[in-house]
Each structure stands twice: as C-alpha cells, then as structure tokens.
Amino acid sequence: MPKITRKASRKPTQKSCGSVAANPRQAKSAAAGSRQPSKPKKPPLRATKPWTPAEVREVFTRFRKASPEPKGELEHLNPYTLLVAVVLSAQATDAGVNKATRELFRRADTPQKMLALGEDRLRDLIRTIGLYRTKARNVIALSQKLIADFGGEVPRTREAIESLPGAGRKTANVVLNMAFGERTLAVDTHVFRVANRTQLAPGNTPLEVELGLERVIPAEFMLHAHHWLILHGRYTCVARKPRCEVCLINDLCRWPEKTV
C-alpha cells in the first residue's frame, strides 16, 4: 500500500510591525491607511497688529534721515544699460553683475552696438553670471525688439518694458523708477523679506507685497521707498541673522523673533 504524504500547511510569517495582509489588495489598502495626512497649506500672512499710518510714516522718515538720496547699486550709463543690467541681475548679485558689465558697457552701451557685438562675444563677457547663456539670448533679442518696435529707445511704460525678452514686472519697475523717476516699487527678495518679516505689508507673492506697500507708504516717500527697503534688507534685515541691534526701526518692527 503506497505511503500517503501530506503537504505541511504554511503559517503566515509574522513581522515585527504586524501580520501580513491576506492578499496584495489588503496590503495596498493597509499601506494607504498608514500614510500620514498631507500637511495643511499655510494660511495667508496677516499682520498680528496692523501698522498705523503714523508708524509707517515714522519708518520712512527714519530711512530718509539716514539716507536722503539712496541709489541703486547696479552700475549703468543710460536707460538701456540699466535695462540690460537688471535683466542680467536675475538670480545674481549686483556686485557680480557689475564686475561683468563694466567691460560690456564699455563696448556696447546702445542696442545697435550690442547687436554688432554679437551673442557669442556677449556670452563670453558675461559668463561669470548665472544663466549667462539664456541671458545673452535675451539681451540680443530685447535689443532687436527695441530697435524694431521702439526706435532703439527704452520705452516708458510698464507694459512695453514687460514685452521685452527677459524683462518682467520687477525689471520694469526698476527701470521706470531709476531711469525715469516714476514712483514704482520693485519687489525683490530683500523687499519681500522685509515687508513680511516686519509685517509692514505681508503677502504670499511679490505682487501682493508690492500692492500692499503701495497702499501703506505715503506718496512723498514712494520715489525712494524700494531703495530704502532693498538696502535695509541687504545690510540690516538680512535673511539668516538679522542685525536687530542696529536696526533703525526695531522698536516698531512686528517680527516676534527680533533680538531687541
């Protein structure tokens, strides 16, 4: 009589984290159930204590007293070279741009001369600046457009400047302010940080901050407002370790982590 053998029944393997799911669908369901819920979106920034008009006026009165005629730090010779310098300054420091443009502007200070210089030579002159290849293409393209559409002159409206390759709202605001004396307010990383940290004009985007600052800053300060805020953010209200001890407005600032 043949010997009958039976297969040993398999017991589910135990793991330290619990039993194995009965089938792949159960395993997938269990894994999904163990996932952590996604973090909620940050609520819109709001001032804990709104600034009064008198406080805002005091801030800019102090800035004006400390620096009556603030100047931008991008070196330029005319509205065209200012426009080029601002386009080149995206994701770069003013000092780095100035180092490259001194020789560039000696050779090409008009759209016509820039086109004669050519993209290859331009690229060589600005290769120390980040994204120099893309920026070289943009400078050549905006020079062509200036000649074709604006008679070789930098236009004096935000919309027209924004239509140029490589130029956005911030570029337009800087050029209108510095070249033509318009009361525009360019929001770069420094202005954005200062406006939010101090709660002077909190916002989640540069445009929100720009419009918020325009609402609260008295008209008499608007010509130089963006320079004061840029310089304050660059040298005092710096990103990693703000110098609260020497800040002109530390008694008014709403930042809860200030050190004075």
Side-chain angles (χ1 to χ4, degrees):
M1 183 174 178
K3 186 178 179 180
I4 298 174
T5 59
R6 296 179 181 178
K7 293 183 180 179
S9 60
R10 294 182 180 178
K11 294 183 180 180
T13 304
Q14 299 294 320
K15 292 187 178 181
S16 60
C17 60
S19 60
V20 176
N23 58 57
R25 288 186 180 180
Q26 289 178 339
K28 186 175 181 180
S29 176
S34 66
R35 291 173 188 161
Q36 295 296 323
S38 59
K39 293 182 179 180
K41 292 182 179 180
K42 291 183 179 180
L45 295 169
R46 291 290 181 268
T48 54
K49 179 185 176 184
W51 288 70
T52 66
E55 288 175 324
V56 177
R57 178 173 291 278
E58 178 62 21
V59 165
F60 287 94
T61 297
R62 294 181 191 181
F63 285 153
R64 181 170 61 186
K65 183 177 180 180
S67 179
E69 295 290 333
K71 303 295 183 184
E73 296 185 337
L74 282 175
E75 297 175 5
H76 60 282
L77 306 174
N78 52 41
Y80 171 72
T81 54
L82 173 62
L83 170 63
V84 171
V86 178
V87 168
L88 295 179
S89 71
Q91 301 181 48
T93 65
D94 288 0
V97 172
N98 291 338
K99 185 176 180 181
T101 56
R102 286 174 191 137
E103 176 62 18
L104 172 63
F105 294 158
R106 188 182 71 80
R107 296 168 178 254
D109 59 355
T110 67
Q112 293 84 355
K113 291 179 182 178
M114 192 67 73
L115 294 183
L117 182 68
E119 185 176 335
D120 290 344
R121 185 66 184 122
L122 169 59
R123 192 166 54 239
D124 289 339
L125 289 170
I126 65 170
R127 66 185 308 114
T128 56
I129 301 174
L131 305 175
Y132 71 95
R133 295 179 185 277
T134 299
K135 290 176 180 179
R137 287 196 297 271
N138 285 337
V139 169
I140 293 298
L142 73 82
S143 299
Q144 292 171 332
K145 189 172 179 65
L146 285 175
I147 294 171
D149 297 350
F150 302 104
E153 301 292 328
V154 176
R156 300 187 62 155
T157 68
R158 181 185 284 120
E159 293 75 17
I161 295 175
E162 287 186 39
S163 73
L164 300 171
R169 186 180 182 90
K170 187 189 79 171
T171 298
N173 284 343
V174 172
V175 172
L176 291 172
N177 180 270
M178 293 179 63
F180 304 123
E182 299 287 341
R183 283 164 167 72
T184 52
L185 207 153
V187 176
D188 68 352
T189 56
H190 300 299
V191 176
F192 188 82
R193 180 173 63 254
V194 171
N196 276 292
R197 182 179 280 166
T198 64
Q199 295 287 282
L200 183 62
N204 292 312
T205 66
L207 181 58
E208 284 183 18
V209 169
E210 178 187 335
L211 298 178
L213 288 170
E214 287 180 347
R215 283 193 295 269
V216 301
I217 298 174
E220 66 183 278
F221 299 109
M222 279 298 296
L223 180 61
H224 297 309
H226 100 272
H227 283 124
W228 285 320
L229 292 170
I230 287 172
L231 295 174
H232 188 65
R234 182 173 290 161
Y235 298 112
T236 303
C237 195
V238 295
R240 293 189 178 181
K241 192 176 179 181
R243 303 174 64 217
C244 300
E245 69 280 1
V246 297
C247 176
L248 289 174
I249 61 170
N250 57 27
D251 58 319
L252 298 169
C253 177
R254 303 291 199 264
W255 191 40
E257 299 178 40
K258 64 184 178 181
T259 57
V260 293

